[in-house]
């Protein structure tokens, strides 16, 4: 908390003995402690936004401090949001010159300690609402709090630091903002031990302050998390958009298939009524049509069996034999369910053709196959007999 470095706030020691009797300024130990910096450029700016997204809060603060950010000197804006349930985002933004932010490497990693502006430790001295001023040697700080939110922060290291001037400035700030109640009883803290006690009580009573860390590694880590969150948000948005488009396509396809099925059912019913007539209730046109065809076909004893084939064959042969000589001789018949194949001999081609014509009747179709000359005279033929339509 000195102009040239840090000192341990827990035991108050500023130097320690090194081998050889050399005295050096004691470096800050890396054991999860709190570091209070008297930043000369830090300032607190309260805000209240109707949204809770940290991305939106950062964008709103960037617009608010655009004139400040466009200057020659780089300025860091560190937002802090007080946990208030599901209401609006209430908190404060700490503005500080980039050159004054500690690097943190020589004092441990960001997980080892929290770097606070010195005025923040005074919150417990006024129970989170009021004016608090600190002075110890050349180090001074002042702050105005309201319900745990810092409204004004001032600190620095100067021999000209005057407690009365700081109290008057803080009161003028409260009166200008119509917050007279905060200026009623200013609290003045002097000495390191009293500041140490106030800092410990502030950590205990306002644990949400531990989210504030004005060190370079902590700010870089916060920016990395924000970039990762934005990338994940973009990926999630793209995935959600793709999913919505895919669902819309699937729903459209489902409607088209359903419409096609309804059209098929209606057209099938119309065709059934047109061909079959009647006033029966149509549930499954295809099954009902099959039933009607089966009823029209009968019991199947219409010549499609072996008996029907033999009867037709005998009728054709006996009709061909009347008044004629040289009737073809049947030598072989191979029967299957769909028809029969005949093989035989005949003295002439005219006899074969007459047999074919006689068989090609009565619902049967006769097809002449291979014809060969046999030794000693005569012809060998093959003939296929089928029911028409099979």
């Amino acid at each position: 908390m000195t102009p040239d470095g840090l000192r341990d706030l827990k035991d108050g020691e500023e130097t320690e003995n090194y081998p050889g009797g050399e005295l050096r300024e004691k470096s800050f130990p890396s054991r999860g402690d709190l570091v209070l910096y008297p930043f000369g450029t830090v300032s607190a700016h309260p805000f209240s936004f109707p949204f809770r997204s940290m991305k939106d809060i950062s964008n709103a603060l960037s617009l608010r401090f655009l004139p400040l950010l466009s200057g020659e000197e780089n300025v860091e804006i560190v937002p802090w949001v007080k946990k208030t349930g599901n209401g609006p985002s209430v908190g404060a933004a700490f503005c500080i010159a980039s050159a004054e932010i500690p690097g943190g490497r020589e004092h441990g990693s960001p997980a080892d300690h929290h770097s606070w502006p010195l005025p923040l430790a005074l919150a417990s001295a006024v129970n989170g609402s009021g004016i608090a001023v600190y002075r110890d040697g050349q180090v001074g700080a002042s702050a105005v709090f309201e319900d745990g939110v810092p409204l004004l922060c001032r600190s620095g290291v100067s021999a000209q630091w005057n407690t009365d001037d700081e109290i008057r400035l803080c009161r003028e700030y409260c009166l200008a903002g119509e917050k007279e109640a905060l200026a009623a009883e200013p609290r003045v803290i002097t000495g390191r031990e009293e500041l140490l006690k106030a800092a410990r009580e502030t950590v205990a009573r306002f644990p949400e302050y531990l989210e504030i860390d004005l060190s370079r590694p902590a700010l870089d880590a916060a920016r990395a998390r924000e970039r990762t969150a934005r990338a994940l948000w973009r990926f999630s948005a793209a995935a959600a958009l793709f999913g919505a488009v895919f669902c819309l396509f699937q729903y459209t396809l489902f409607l088209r298939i359903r419409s096609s099925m309804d059209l098929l059912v209606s057209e099938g019913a119309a065709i059934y009524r047109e061909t079959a007539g009647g006033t029966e209730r149509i549930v499954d046109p295809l099954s009902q049509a099959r039933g009607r065809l089966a009823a029209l076909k009968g019991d199947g004893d219409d010549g499609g069996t072996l008996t029907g084939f033999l009867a037709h064959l005998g009728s054709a042969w006996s009709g061909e034999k009347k008044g004629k000589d040289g009737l073809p001789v049947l030598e072989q018949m191979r029967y299957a369910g769909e028809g029969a194949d005949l093989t035989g001999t005949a003295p002439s081609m005219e006899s074969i053709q007459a047999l074919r014509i006689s068989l090609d009747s009565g619902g049967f179709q006769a097809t002449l196959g291979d014809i060969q000359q046999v030794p000693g005279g005569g012809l060998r033929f093959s003939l296929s007999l089928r029911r028409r339509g099979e």
Side-chain angles (χ1 to χ4, degrees):
M1 204 173 53
T2 62
D4 300 326
L6 304 170
R7 84 179 164 221
D8 189 353
L9 293 183
K10 188 172 182 180
D11 53 25
E13 295 182 5
E14 298 182 30
T15 59
E16 62 179 349
N17 292 323
Y18 281 78
E22 181 183 2
L23 293 178
R24 297 181 184 176
E25 183 180 333
K26 186 177 181 181
S27 61
F28 191 81
S30 300
R31 58 171 181 267
D33 292 311
L34 177 65
V35 184
L36 302 178
Y37 285 89
F39 295 119
T41 61
V42 70
S43 61
H45 304 269
F47 62 79
S48 177
F49 297 129
F51 40 79
R52 301 192 61 81
S53 172
M54 187 57 68
K55 174 185 175 182
D56 296 336
I57 293 174
S58 299
N59 292 336
L61 291 175
S62 298
L63 294 176
R64 175 182 292 184
F65 296 105
L66 185 62
L68 183 63
L69 295 175
S70 61
E72 295 182 358
E73 186 177 11
N74 292 329
V75 177
E76 296 283 352
I77 298 178
V78 184
W80 167 75
V81 179
K82 182 180 179 181
K83 295 180 180 179
T84 57
N86 297 324
S89 299
V90 178
F94 294 93
C95 295
I96 183 173
S98 299
E100 199 174 3
I101 295 178
R105 293 182 180 178
E106 67 274 18
H107 305 298
S109 64
D112 293 328
H113 62 269
H114 290 270
S115 299
W116 278 7
L118 176 58
L120 200 64
L122 307 177
S124 62
V126 292
N127 296 323
S129 295
I131 299 174
V133 179
Y134 170 75
R135 175 66 187 273
D136 181 18
Q138 295 185 3
V139 179
S142 61
V144 178
F145 298 93
E146 183 179 27
D147 297 330
V149 177
L151 306 182
L152 177 68
C153 285
R154 284 171 50 83
S155 61
V157 179
S158 173
Q160 305 300 324
W161 190 272
N162 188 284
T163 302
D164 295 334
D165 292 341
E166 291 299 314
I167 294 176
R168 184 175 64 256
L169 187 147
C170 292
R171 280 179 170 172
E172 292 176 355
Y173 173 84
C174 294
L175 296 177
E178 298 182 354
K179 301 179 184 296
E180 294 84 355
L182 301 179
E185 297 180 1
R187 175 69 186 277
V188 179
I189 296 177
T190 58
R192 291 177 299 174
E193 295 299 328
E194 193 172 355
L195 174 63
L196 176 60
K197 179 181 178 181
R200 289 174 175 171
E201 291 179 354
T202 298
V203 172
R205 297 184 59 179
F206 303 98
E208 59 269 23
Y209 283 178
L210 293 177
E211 297 179 6
I212 301 174
D213 194 345
L214 300 187
S215 65
R216 177 58 59 190
L219 296 181
D220 292 342
R223 289 193 180 92
R225 289 194 299 269
E226 184 176 356
R227 288 194 298 267
T228 303
R230 290 184 179 181
L232 290 177
W233 184 87
R234 294 191 186 99
F235 176 78
S236 300
L241 178 61
F242 175 78
V245 173
F246 181 77
C247 291
L248 180 61
F249 172 76
Q250 290 291 328
Y251 182 69
T252 304
L253 183 62
F254 167 75
L255 292 180
R256 292 183 60 183
I257 293 175
R258 184 175 181 179
S259 177
S260 300
M261 292 180 64
D262 294 340
L263 181 62
L264 288 175
V265 172
S266 60
E267 290 184 351
I271 294 174
Y272 180 82
R273 287 192 181 96
E274 182 179 353
T275 55
T279 58
E280 63 178 303
R281 181 172 177 267
I282 300 175
V283 179
D284 187 352
L286 183 59
S287 299
Q288 291 175 260
R290 286 176 179 172
R292 277 183 170 269
L293 290 176
L296 293 175
K297 188 175 181 180
D299 57 3
D301 191 14
D302 57 354
T305 63
L306 177 59
T307 303
F309 273 98
L310 292 177
H312 180 69
L313 186 61
S315 175
W317 222 279
S318 61
E320 180 66 20
K321 184 177 180 181
K322 293 179 181 179
K324 296 181 181 180
D325 296 330
L327 186 68
V329 177
L330 180 62
E331 296 180 347
Q332 184 178 12
M333 183 182 74
R334 292 192 301 273
Y335 173 79
E338 66 277 4
D341 296 324
L342 310 177
T343 303
T345 58
S348 63
M349 187 65 187
E350 291 78 4
S351 176
I352 297 174
Q353 288 291 352
L355 177 62
R356 186 193 65 78
I357 293 173
S358 180
L359 290 173
D360 195 15
S361 62
F364 289 86
Q365 181 180 1
T367 303
L368 193 60
D370 189 25
I371 300 176
Q372 298 178 355
Q373 186 76 35
V374 297
L379 300 172
R380 180 179 298 279
F381 69 91
S382 63
L383 190 144
S384 175
L385 186 61
R386 296 288 186 274
R387 292 287 299 180
R388 292 190 182 275
E390 295 186 359

